[in-house]
Amino acid sequence: MNSTYLLTPIDYLKGIGPNRAKLLKEELSIYTYSDLLHFFPNRYIDRTKYYKINELQRNDAEVQIVGKITHFKTIDQGKTKRLVASFTDNTGSLELVWFKGIKWIRESLKLNTAYVIFGKINWFNGQFSMPHPDLKSLEEQKKSLSGLMQPIYPSTEKLSKRGVSNKIISKAIENLIKLSYKQFSETLPDYFLKELNLMPKAKALLYIHFPKNAELLAKAKYRLKFEELFYVQLQLILKNKIRKQKIKGYNFTKVGRFFKEFYGQHLPFTLTHAQKRVVREIRNDMGTGAQMNRLLQGDVGSGKTMVAFLSCLLALDNDFQACIMAPTEILATQHHQGLLELCAPMNIELDLLTGSTKLRDRKRIHEGLESGELKILIGTHALLEDKVVFKNLGLAIIDEQHRFGVAQRAKLWTKNQLPPHILVMTATPIPRTLAMSLYGDLDISVIDELPPGRKPITTVHHYDSNRLKVFHFLRKEIKKGRQVYIVYPLIQESEHMDYKDLMDGYESIARDFPMPEYQISVVHGQMKPADKEFEMNRFVKGETQIMVATTVIEVGVNVPNASVMVIESAERFGLSQLHQLRGRVGRGAEQSFCILITGQKLSNDSKTRLEAMTQTNDGFKLSEVDLKLRGPGDLMGTQQSGILQMKIADIVQDQDILQQARQWAKKIIEKDARLELTEHTRVKNTYLNITKNKKNWKYIS
Ligand SMILES: Nc1ncnc2c1ncn2[C@@H]1O[C@H](COP(=O)(O)OP(=O)(O)OP(=O)(O)O)[C@@H](O)[C@H]1O
């Protein structure tokens, strides 16, 4: 919509005025005519049905009747005064009642004129009445756009006391449409409308506010959702294109000794097809001359670590260093140990840097990094400290997207002349198109295949009261030589209480699993890192059979002999967290189990989550359920972007349209990246209007 008329400030619209305009701006961000037009109803009231007075039932909610007022009376009871009108059709009569605006209403309504009334009816003293009816003359109703389905706008109930009622908004939009319908210009190319059978923009705007029937409403909605999603996708695709043009990166041209030797001689297993494909994607991406910014999604246990390691070897082959940053010390330590083994036959220098690294070791690490001898550094946030200076960092791998924000990712860049390639790994997979929308600035690789031979984990749900049965089962598994995790929730606000829960739980487990037959490790957030590591190690080495822990073990911990995961108060965990925790088992050849223990009282959402967990092991499926329960907002952490604030589309519910919109956005860019063809003028103008940024256009080729 590029007509300047529609950019007129809302203050000038008939029926609005300065006070309402102020409210519209402050509360609903409606500044211009165009904003108002794009403020869409969230439901509609069916006004196609007319009642006769003698058909009314006492439990009818809202009814619409045509009739006439035959007389008025004002009833004055001291404090309260009311105006009562007798309203009749040819089948009977009822009373219309007003408590406010009496004088004005009495003067403006005429006797014996046909009116349409609409509202809730009451049954009182043997008669129906309708307080404060929505009332129009029949003539006016016939001309009104909202005569068939009446639009109801969001937030208007809240604002009606302050002067912006639904009626006012609806009337203002009706005025605007009547006045300026001819100026609603099309925003999509004609061939889109034809091939996708989309309703033209002007019509869609008319029918979204004032639909004649459900079918036209559905078409209008579809058209507007498609348009909204199309322009979001177009922005994402072009933004990515611009980034690649603008942000130069190191060009890794070689596949050299390290990669070849490891791949040929030391690879401990055959890569899955998905791992191979992803390694290829990463290799290609690091060899384009642009900076890689890639998200690697893979379900728990899908083998992301090996992909990360192979990517590091590519960096080394091109004479660059690499680093891997993990969200917790336990994880960083574990990555370090795993990679030490992989590196050992090839003499690659690698080290670990965390908050608890001793000064002496730090010094060695700093020197190694600056001289370039230290090739791979693994660590936590500590890697971001100013003192950590690489000779030539070529690749930074960030494990677990959610805990590092965009700002931190950017900070890594300042350590180099050119920004290093960035690979973000996440085990919270989400549907691909959605991921593309949420992480618009990243390219995406997906490992959608598990290594062979994995047995699906059997997941069951038990109530607290069944604990003895669960313990009995644990003893049986331990007897077979397996190890067991028992996890308690940790929610930051009530860390103290959680700690108490954990310790109470530990004591009761210690009673039921007495020494010396059973050995138990405990790990929680309030322990010193060294103690945590000690306890963890005892479990890893098989010295303890039971690990009692809070969610500190959520990500990445890898003990293949552990085959049972018990999650206490499972109703307090989110779905992705449950799935992550479950992913700690099922890593060896044994049949594994996940036991979800809850209290008796469960909310509907908790029930849905538990049911989903017992039904599937597929992280992508679970994330869809999660998204539907929570909406996408929570998913993003610091990635939250304006893209989610959409007017009509919903990226979770409207995934089919989203996918279609993305395909068409891709198609148009492939055909005409700079949108120079005449048939794309509208798209270019709309795009520039939305982004208000012509500067970057030069980067598109
Ligand atoms: N292609 C493969 N064939 C056999 N085993 C594999 C393969 N790839 C990885 N593995 C093994 O599978 C286990 C899980 O791999 P890894 O820890 O890399 O998973 P992940 O994707 O990082 O999972 P998480 O998110 O849970 O940490 C490891 O023990 C690893 O050695």
Side-chain angles (χ1 to χ4, degrees):
M1 186 121 341
N2 51 9
S3 154
T4 45
Y5 175 74
L6 289 173
L7 297 178
T8 312
I10 196 70
D11 313 52
Y12 297 100
L13 190 65
K14 195 177 147 205
I16 296 295
N19 290 339
R20 286 186 181 133
K22 190 162 173 269
L23 209 58
L24 288 177
K25 288 175 202 170
E26 284 168 6
E27 299 289 334
L28 303 171
S29 301
I30 297 173
Y31 296 90
T32 63
Y33 288 5
S34 173
D35 292 340
L36 185 64
L37 262 183
H38 289 85
F39 181 61
F40 300 135
N42 53 358
R43 61 189 181 91
Y44 303 82
I45 293 175
D46 187 354
R47 296 284 298 258
T48 48
K49 186 170 164 53
Y50 284 90
Y51 284 77
K52 291 286 176 198
I53 293 177
N54 68 353
E55 290 170 355
L56 296 179
Q57 302 285 329
R58 284 194 211 178
N59 53 2
D60 280 335
E62 287 180 317
V63 297
Q64 177 169 247
I65 308 166
V66 185
K68 292 173 180 173
I69 295 171
T70 51
H71 67 269
F72 287 104
K73 61 182 176 216
T74 310
I75 298 173
D76 197 342
Q77 287 176 321
K79 264 189 193 161
T80 56
K81 207 172 170 186
R82 64 182 193 271
L83 175 68
V84 178
S86 295
F87 186 81
T88 55
D89 63 4
N90 49 14
T91 71
S93 70
L94 56 75
E95 287 189 335
L96 308 179
V97 187
W98 291 269
F99 296 93
K100 278 185 287 185
I102 293 178
K103 187 161 177 279
W104 181 79
I105 290 167
R106 174 66 191 87
E107 279 166 12
S108 58
L109 295 182
K110 296 191 190 94
L111 292 176
N112 297 318
T113 306
Y115 283 112
V116 179
I117 58 165
F118 178 81
K120 277 199 191 119
I121 46 167
N122 291 332
W123 175 254
F124 187 67
N125 268 350
Q127 201 182 14
F128 282 110
S129 64
M130 187 185 284
H132 287 267
D134 182 21
L135 184 146
K136 271 192 197 119
S137 74
L138 183 61
E139 212 160 310
E140 199 187 342
Q141 170 83 349
K142 279 184 189 155
K143 278 192 278 173
S144 153
L145 293 175
S146 61
L148 297 167
M149 286 170 91
Q150 185 186 337
I152 305 292
Y153 293 90
S155 310
T156 46
E157 203 163 322
K158 195 177 78 198
L159 296 180
S160 70
K161 282 206 181 75
R162 296 163 67 190
V164 174
S165 64
N166 195 65
K167 206 166 156 186
I168 301 263
I169 296 253
S170 164
K171 195 75 211 150
I173 294 178
E174 186 172 342
N175 279 339
L176 184 57
I177 291 183
K178 282 183 175 161
L179 241 125
S180 56
Y181 185 75
K182 292 223 164 62
Q183 314 215 29
F184 297 174
S185 45
E186 184 51 60
T187 47
L188 292 172
D190 287 333
Y191 74 93
F192 272 42
L193 303 192
K194 219 164 126 201
E195 285 179 45
L196 288 161
N197 192 19
L198 294 176
M199 185 181 262
K201 174 77 181 240
K203 267 196 176 162
L205 281 176
L206 170 63
Y207 290 136
I208 194 75
H209 290 289
F210 305 111
K212 279 195 185 139
N213 55 46
E215 198 187 333
L216 285 172
L217 174 61
K219 285 204 84 171
K221 269 192 185 159
Y222 190 88
R223 146 77 211 218
L224 295 168
K225 284 179 176 183
F226 178 88
E227 173 181 338
E228 187 167 42
L229 291 167
F230 170 79
Y231 280 104
V232 166
Q233 293 302 321
L234 192 72
Q235 280 180 73
L236 291 175
I237 294 169
L238 286 177
K239 211 168 119 188
N240 210 352
K241 235 177 145 54
I242 291 165
R243 176 175 60 76
K244 284 183 182 158
Q245 286 289 321
K246 223 166 130 172
I247 307 182
K248 298 277 169 259
Y250 296 119
N251 199 350
F252 292 1
T253 49
K254 274 192 293 194
V255 177
R257 169 176 99 78
F258 290 119
F259 190 95
K260 282 186 189 149
E261 184 185 326
F262 182 80
Y263 204 91
Q265 298 172 32
H266 311 302
L267 198 62
F269 37 68
T270 316
L271 294 189
T272 60
H273 292 292
Q275 283 171 316
K276 282 186 196 158
R277 187 192 64 239
V278 168
V279 171
R280 224 178 300 128
E281 283 168 0
I282 293 171
R283 207 179 86 195
N284 289 343
D285 216 6
M286 295 194 297
T288 60
Q291 182 221 13
M292 174 174 81
N293 238 312
R294 190 166 275 276
L295 175 69
L296 172 56
Q297 289 205 78
D299 210 339
V300 283
S302 60
K304 292 183 291 292
T305 317
M306 185 51 76
V307 171
F309 180 63
L310 290 168
S311 312
C312 290
L313 294 184
L314 286 170
L316 268 51
D317 277 341
N318 288 276
D319 296 322
F320 284 94
Q321 295 160 298
C323 71
I324 301 180
M325 195 158 59
T328 66
E329 195 148 339
I330 294 186
L331 254 185
T333 311
Q334 197 172 316
H335 274 317
H336 178 239
Q337 279 164 355
L339 262 51
L340 267 179
E341 263 173 54
L342 298 175
C343 286
M346 293 187 301
N347 262 334
I348 296 172
E349 284 259 343
L350 82 163
D351 221 319
L352 173 70
L353 180 70
T354 69
S356 48
T357 304
K358 301 225 168 60
L359 213 61
R360 190 165 27 111
D361 295 332
R362 273 174 196 261
K363 199 158 166 264
R364 182 191 70 236
I365 291 170
H366 292 159
E367 283 167 11
L369 284 179
E370 281 184 63
S371 72
E373 255 161 63
L374 180 52
K375 299 291 181 204
I376 302 178
L377 182 63
I378 297 152
T380 53
H381 280 75
L383 298 196
L384 299 174
E385 285 164 12
D386 290 336
K387 283 200 191 121
V388 180
V389 181
F390 291 83
K391 181 174 177 221
N392 52 4
L393 179 64
L395 169 67
I397 298 176
I398 304 174
D399 194 355
E400 276 304 307
Q401 168 85 7
H402 299 128
R403 316 198 180 187
F404 289 105
V406 178
Q408 281 162 317
R409 257 201 277 149
K411 195 164 176 218
L412 283 166
W413 296 11
T414 59
K415 295 178 188 284
N416 276 46
Q417 290 153 340
L418 283 181
H421 295 300
I422 298 212
L423 182 67
V424 179
M425 301 203 290
T426 171
T428 312
I430 53 170
R432 197 185 179 94
T433 346
L434 188 57
M436 283 170 175
S437 302
L438 298 186
Y439 309 112
D441 58 336
L442 301 172
D443 288 308
I444 294 176
S445 287
V446 184
I447 308 186
D448 49 5
E449 183 186 354
L450 291 180
R454 293 272 168 84
K455 289 203 185 97
I457 301 161
T458 306
T459 304
V460 290
H461 168 212
H462 281 297
Y463 290 108
D464 271 337
S465 47
N466 247 341
R467 191 176 306 264
L468 285 182
K469 207 167 133 193
V470 174
F471 283 2
H472 179 69
F473 175 76
L474 299 186
R475 279 191 209 100
K476 252 178 43 196
E477 288 299 301
I478 293 172
K479 210 168 198 162
K480 289 189 209 159
R482 311 286 126 71
Q483 286 166 287
V484 174
Y485 292 104
I486 303 179
V487 175
Y488 287 81
L490 177 83
I491 296 173
Q492 246 143 28
E493 303 95 75
S494 59
E495 212 166 293
H496 185 68
M497 207 183 93
D498 290 319
Y499 175 68
K500 190 172 166 304
D501 280 357
L502 174 82
M503 291 329 267
D504 289 351
Y506 170 70
E507 276 167 27
S508 101
I509 287 159
R511 270 197 305 276
D512 277 278
F513 295 86
M515 294 219 286
E517 192 181 353
Y518 299 99
Q519 299 291 331
I520 307 175
S521 290
V522 189
V523 171
H524 58 79
Q526 299 187 350
M527 282 164 86
K528 285 203 193 97
D531 296 340
K532 251 192 248 175
E533 202 179 316
F534 177 77
E535 286 287 304
M536 227 17 246
N537 269 336
R538 291 210 305 148
F539 189 69
V540 173
K541 287 192 218 141
E543 291 169 12
T544 58
Q545 301 105 327
I546 302 176
M547 157 71 80
V548 177
T550 54
T551 47
V552 289
I553 62 154
E554 185 184 332
V555 276
V557 173
N558 193 15
V559 182
N561 189 49
S563 64
V564 186
M565 166 64 64
V566 180
I567 305 176
E568 290 279 354
S569 306
E571 71 272 33
R572 285 173 61 186
F573 291 91
L575 202 43
S576 73
Q577 229 183 347
L578 289 173
H579 182 57
Q580 285 289 322
L581 285 168
R582 174 168 63 181
R584 298 311 106 213
V585 297
R587 300 183 156 243
E590 311 304 335
Q591 172 63 51
S592 294
F593 302 90
C594 174
I595 303 171
L596 308 168
I597 299 188
T598 69
Q600 296 286 343
K601 263 201 190 151
L602 294 174
S603 67
N604 284 341
D605 278 9
S606 303
K607 279 187 202 148
T608 311
R609 285 200 295 266
L610 294 165
E611 215 174 277
M613 280 292 290
T614 53
Q615 277 168 8
T616 183
N617 273 293
D618 181 336
F620 284 89
K621 283 202 187 118
L622 289 173
S623 71
E624 293 229 20
V625 176
D626 204 22
L627 276 169
K628 289 201 173 126
L629 286 177
R630 293 188 306 161
D634 277 4
L635 251 176
M636 314 243 317
T638 48
Q639 288 279 322
Q640 190 96 16
S641 71
I643 281 161
L644 290 176
Q645 289 149 18
M646 286 194 280
K647 291 204 163 68
I648 188 161
D650 175 324
I651 52 175
V652 178
Q653 308 298 337
D654 298 322
Q655 273 188 58
D656 291 348
I657 314 179
L658 173 64
Q659 213 138 351
Q660 195 181 33
R662 182 164 179 94
Q663 270 168 16
W664 282 75
K666 261 167 86 174
K667 219 155 84 177
I668 205 171
I669 294 302
E670 270 159 27
K671 187 169 162 192
D672 177 21
R674 294 180 54 81
L675 303 172
E676 281 163 341
L677 300 175
T678 348
E679 60 187 10
H680 295 151
T681 311
R682 286 174 194 163
V683 177
K684 184 171 178 178
N685 289 341
T686 312
Y687 171 84
L688 290 177
N689 236 338
I690 296 172
T691 59
K692 299 196 173 33
N693 189 352
K694 287 188 184 156
K695 237 178 31 234
N696 279 329
W697 201 251
K698 62 175 183 279
Y699 293 105
I700 300 172
S701 57

